[in-house]
Amino acid sequence: MTKWFTCAGVLLALLLVSACHRGLDPVAFHSDGRPPRLSDWHVVEVRDGKLVLNEGVVPYDLNTPLFTDYAHKLRTIWMPKGVSAKYDPTDTFDFPVGTIISKTFYYPRAADGKFTDVARTYDSSRDFAGEGLDLSRVHLIETRILVRRESGWAAMPYVWKDDQSDAFLARTGAVIPLTLVADSDAREDFNYVVPDESQCASCHAQDWVTRKIHPIGPKARHLNRDYHYAAGDENELAHLMKVGYLTGAPAPAEAPRNANWMDEHASLDARARAYLDINCGHCHNPKGAANTTALTLDVSAPEDRHLGICKPPVAAGRGTGDHLFDVVPGSPDESILPYRMDSAEPGVMMPELGRSTVHREGVALIKAWIAAQSGGCVAIH
């Protein structure tokens, strides 16, 4: 819904943005090397109890985000002046050299105030301060940097200090013990795993032959949505065009758009396909890391064996749960896909990286999607 602001409201928004930029050095593009501190990039920094965005740093979100142990995420894009990304209707946009994409993983603080207790909630309404984060309400975990250099994209994970003042490079990753606290006060201990640099590459390599990494989220179908910027709501594709960070994009109504997996006004099929696309499709596609499985889970897959319907697994073992097919229409409990999603056990769980907990709501969505399918599978002995 479009929101109209009074002149005073617009002025306040502008003052908030200018306050965020005050005292920050310009964003620094490092053409090589691995800066030891996140603040060396000057993309997002802590000022006066807030994580603020520097000038020219544009936040964005996805219609359906990748699940990471119920973490919330602040995503940003920055580009040098005078360059733009080129629109693509299907693949990741063609970003110019100098682009810096950041993704900060954080949790709302649990009500008990204990530092390692974090809230398991989808509500982010209390997290934000302008376009940054209010550190009195959130616990910063890590920030990942993707930078486009002459040689290609480079990925660097930074882990936040306990005092939340800065984050430091963690090339070998990290393990952070946390406890998820639900609204019902139910508690779940888990180890949040920050991936090492090689693990970053295993997910971000769109072509498993070249192994070159690329961003996953900045595609038209994921960004075709509204964002609540400091100056008001606007479609992300339109906003990126307006600020000069994108060229060649059509009007939002003419661009592809994935469903929000939580939007019950959208069809069950659209929600499930969007969920599989962002969580599984970057590996399960004809060129991805899981291309040998013959299971395609991005939006390009037709609704047949490519999507797992009545498709036997390529390899037997614990990962099948003794089930015979990836997806059995009408029978989620006989299907391998939700079985693997519903596990946090190495060797069984899917995705293999990026989570230590089970996404209960995601599993429920995929089970409902399979249950709604008609037909069945015939085993050939």
Side-chain angles (χ1 to χ4, degrees):
M1 180 182 296
T2 302
K3 296 184 179 179
W4 296 93
F5 289 83
T6 64
C7 291
V10 173
L11 177 60
L12 176 60
L14 292 173
L15 289 173
L16 285 172
V17 172
S18 64
C20 288
H21 302 157
R22 190 180 302 127
L24 271 64
D25 291 334
V27 173
F29 165 60
H30 297 272
S31 60
D32 55 22
R34 289 169 170 77
R37 299 177 303 172
L38 178 65
S39 58
D40 293 329
W41 296 91
H42 305 296
V43 173
V44 293
E45 291 189 52
V46 173
R47 288 289 187 277
D48 300 324
K50 297 177 177 62
L51 182 70
V52 299
L53 279 58
N54 209 339
E55 184 175 4
V57 176
V58 176
Y60 70 97
D61 210 342
L62 310 182
N63 279 312
T64 293
L66 183 74
F67 174 74
T68 311
D69 291 328
Y70 292 95
H72 295 201
K73 300 167 187 177
L74 173 63
R75 302 169 177 85
T76 74
I77 297 175
W78 177 87
M79 295 180 203
K81 291 185 181 300
V83 297
S84 304
K86 296 178 182 178
Y87 176 83
D88 189 289
T90 304
D91 295 328
T92 302
F93 299 153
D94 183 7
F95 288 96
V97 171
T99 300
I100 303 172
I101 296 176
S102 80
K103 183 161 62 171
T104 297
F105 296 69
Y106 68 94
Y107 290 91
R109 295 180 183 269
D112 61 13
K114 188 177 178 181
F115 188 67
T116 56
D117 287 359
V118 294
R120 183 168 70 83
T121 178
Y122 293 108
D123 182 11
S124 61
S125 61
R126 292 161 56 88
D127 302 349
F128 292 89
E131 291 179 344
L133 297 174
D134 184 346
L135 299 188
S136 69
R137 300 186 183 276
V138 305
H139 177 169
L140 304 177
I141 304 296
E142 61 160 323
T143 296
R144 300 178 192 174
I145 292 288
L146 275 175
V147 56
R148 177 68 168 86
R149 292 168 166 168
E150 289 286 355
S151 58
W153 288 95
M156 291 164 231
Y158 291 82
V159 175
W160 282 90
K161 296 172 60 180
D162 286 349
D163 67 7
Q164 306 281 270
S165 61
D166 203 349
F168 285 81
L169 185 66
R171 296 188 64 178
T172 58
V175 177
I176 303 170
L178 295 171
T179 300
L180 285 168
V181 182
D183 291 339
S184 63
D185 289 333
R187 301 171 67 84
E188 179 181 359
D189 296 332
F190 74 105
N191 287 324
Y192 182 100
V193 178
V194 178
D196 61 38
E197 289 184 356
S198 64
Q199 290 172 322
C200 291
S202 68
C203 287
H204 283 272
Q206 292 184 343
D207 188 324
W208 207 238
V209 175
T210 65
R211 303 291 180 98
K212 290 185 177 180
I213 69 172
H214 297 270
I216 294 172
K219 298 181 175 73
R221 61 184 182 270
H222 301 316
L223 301 184
N224 191 2
R225 51 157 289 159
D226 285 355
Y227 190 93
H228 187 54
Y229 300 98
D233 289 1
E234 188 174 11
N235 180 274
E236 292 181 355
L237 295 177
H239 185 76
L240 290 173
M241 289 279 288
K242 184 173 75 175
V243 301
Y245 279 6
L246 183 63
T247 60
E254 300 173 5
R257 181 173 189 161
N258 268 14
N260 177 341
W261 75 279
M262 298 181 70
D263 181 7
E264 295 186 356
H265 294 96
S267 71
L268 178 60
D269 184 69
R271 293 165 57 205
R273 290 298 301 268
Y275 185 90
L276 293 173
D277 182 31
I278 192 65
N279 282 281
C280 314
H282 51 278
C283 286
H284 282 278
N285 66 72
K287 293 183 178 181
N291 62 350
T292 58
T293 66
L295 180 63
T296 301
L297 297 177
D298 66 12
V299 292
S300 70
E303 295 197 5
D304 55 19
R305 285 201 174 196
H306 292 85
L307 195 58
I309 297 174
C310 295
K311 186 188 81 62
V314 171
R318 290 190 308 127
T320 68
D322 295 325
H323 302 315
L324 299 178
F325 303 102
D326 291 336
V327 173
V328 180
S331 301
D333 291 339
E334 297 177 19
S335 302
I336 296 171
L337 180 59
Y339 167 75
R340 302 196 74 172
M341 290 175 58
D342 202 20
S343 174
E345 180 184 350
V348 176
M349 64 184 286
M350 280 288 173
E352 294 177 312
L353 300 172
R355 68 176 178 91
S356 300
T357 61
V358 172
H359 190 197
R360 302 169 193 173
E361 297 83 357
V363 172
L365 172 66
I366 299 307
K367 283 188 172 183
W369 172 66
I370 294 174
Q373 297 174 17
S374 59
C377 302
V378 178
I380 300 175
H381 298 286

